[in-house]
Structure formats: structure tokens, C-alpha cells
């Protein structure tokens, strides 16, 4: 089949994953930081759904998404940020499964969070890749 021709571009796959996940997460982190009520509102939301130490985790999640998203876009510390994000989104997905009882269609459920979890795990496994990574450019290796 003619789509096999795309396999010569497979080295770009980690970059596409890093860039897309990084943009989404950095945007969400920035929105948590600068949105109405800021991190305090995030902390109140977390407290409302029963997350312990809600204020602390609001700060952690906000900066993990913002700084981790930027790191992913740049190709810096990809495996480290991916591991932390996988933990965060595993908690979100499992929490959603056991507390919200998602609808069979996933609509209005946790599908977006599940997709972020899957991409974070994929990046944890494959790392930066060789294309457009600051680590590869400057250090010639992956951290």
C-alpha cells in the first residue's frame, strides 16, 4: 500500500507527540495560572472534589502542566516530565472511573485525560526522539 512510504518519516513521531501534548498542557497550565481566580480557584475545585492538600496540589499540577508542557515542546527532560504527567493523569483517570462512573460512550467523561495519559506513557517509553530536541541539539544525548 502507498501509505508505507510514510515510514521513512517515523523518526518524526516523537516530535509530533511532544509538540501536541506540550501545547495542550502548557495552555492548560497557563490557564490555571492566569484564569479567573488563578491557582486559588484550582485549589478550591480540588478541595470540592475531595483531593487532600488541595492548595498544594493545585500549585504542583499548574506548574507541572505549564513547565512540563514547555519542556515537552522543547524536547527537554521528556522522560521525566512524561513520568510525572503519567502519574498525574493516571490519578485523574482512575479517580474519574471510581467516582464519576463514566458513561459508556465516554462523552463528558475522561476520554481527554485518558488520551493524555496514553501519550505521556508513549513519550516515557520512546523519549525525545532525534528530531527538533534541545537535548539532542545541545547535549547529543537524552537525559
Amino acid at each position: 500500500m502507498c501509505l508505507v512510504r510514510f515510514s521513512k518519516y517515523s523518526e518524526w513521531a516523537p516530535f509530533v507527540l511532544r509538540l501536541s501534548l506540550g501545547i495542550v498542557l502548557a495552555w492548560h497550565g497557563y490557564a490555571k495560572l492566569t484564569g479567573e481566580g488563578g491557582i486559588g480557584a484550582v485549589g478550591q475545585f480540588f478541595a470540592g472534589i475531595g483531593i487532600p492538600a488541595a492548595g498544594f496540589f493545585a500549585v504542583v499540577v499548574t506548574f507541572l502542566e505549564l513547565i512540563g508542557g514547555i519542556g515537552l515542546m522543547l524536547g527537554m527532560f521528556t522522560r521525566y516530565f512524561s513520568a510525572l504527567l503519567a502519574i498525574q493523569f493516571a490519578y485523574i483517570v482512575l479517580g474519574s472511573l471510581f467516582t464519576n462512573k463514566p458513561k459508556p460512550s465516554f462523552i463528558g467523561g475522561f476520554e481527554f485525560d485518558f488520551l493524555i495519559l496514553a501519550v505521556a506513557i508513549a513519550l516515557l517509553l520512546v523519549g525525545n526522539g532525534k528530531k527538533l530536541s534541545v537535548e539532542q541539539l545541545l547535549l547529543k544525548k537524552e537525559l
Side-chain angles (χ1 to χ4, degrees), residues 43-92:
Q44 288 176 344
F45 171 74
F46 284 0
I49 60 173
I51 294 176
F56 170 75
F57 283 112
V59 172
V60 169
V61 164
T62 297
F63 285 101
L64 175 58
E65 291 179 6
L66 179 61
I67 296 168
I70 292 168
L72 291 176
M73 287 187 278
L74 295 174
M76 289 293 299
F77 308 110
T78 295
R79 289 187 199 268
Y80 297 100
F81 285 130
S82 296
L84 293 171
L85 290 163
I87 292 167
Q88 175 188 335
F89 282 90
Y91 181 85
I92 292 169

Side-chain angles (χ1 to χ4, degrees), residues 24-39 41-42 62 65-66:
V24 167
L25 290 174
W27 187 264
H28 278 255
Y30 180 76
K32 285 178 177 73
L33 187 63
T34 62
E36 188 175 330
I39 294 177
V42 176
T62 297
E65 291 179 6
L66 179 61

Side-chain angles (χ1 to χ4, degrees), residues 13-30:
F15 170 72
V16 172
L17 292 173
R18 282 191 299 107
L19 185 64
S20 53
L21 184 59
I23 289 170
V24 167
L25 290 174
W27 187 264
H28 278 255
Y30 180 76

Side-chain angles (χ1 to χ4, degrees), residues 49 51 88-103 106-114:
I49 60 173
I51 294 176
Q88 175 188 335
F89 282 90
Y91 181 85
I92 292 169
V93 168
L94 291 172
S96 179
L97 279 172
F98 293 114
T99 60
N100 295 339
K101 297 181 179 51
K103 301 171 187 173
F106 284 118
I107 303 301
F110 61 94
E111 66 278 2
F112 184 67
D113 300 320
F114 185 77

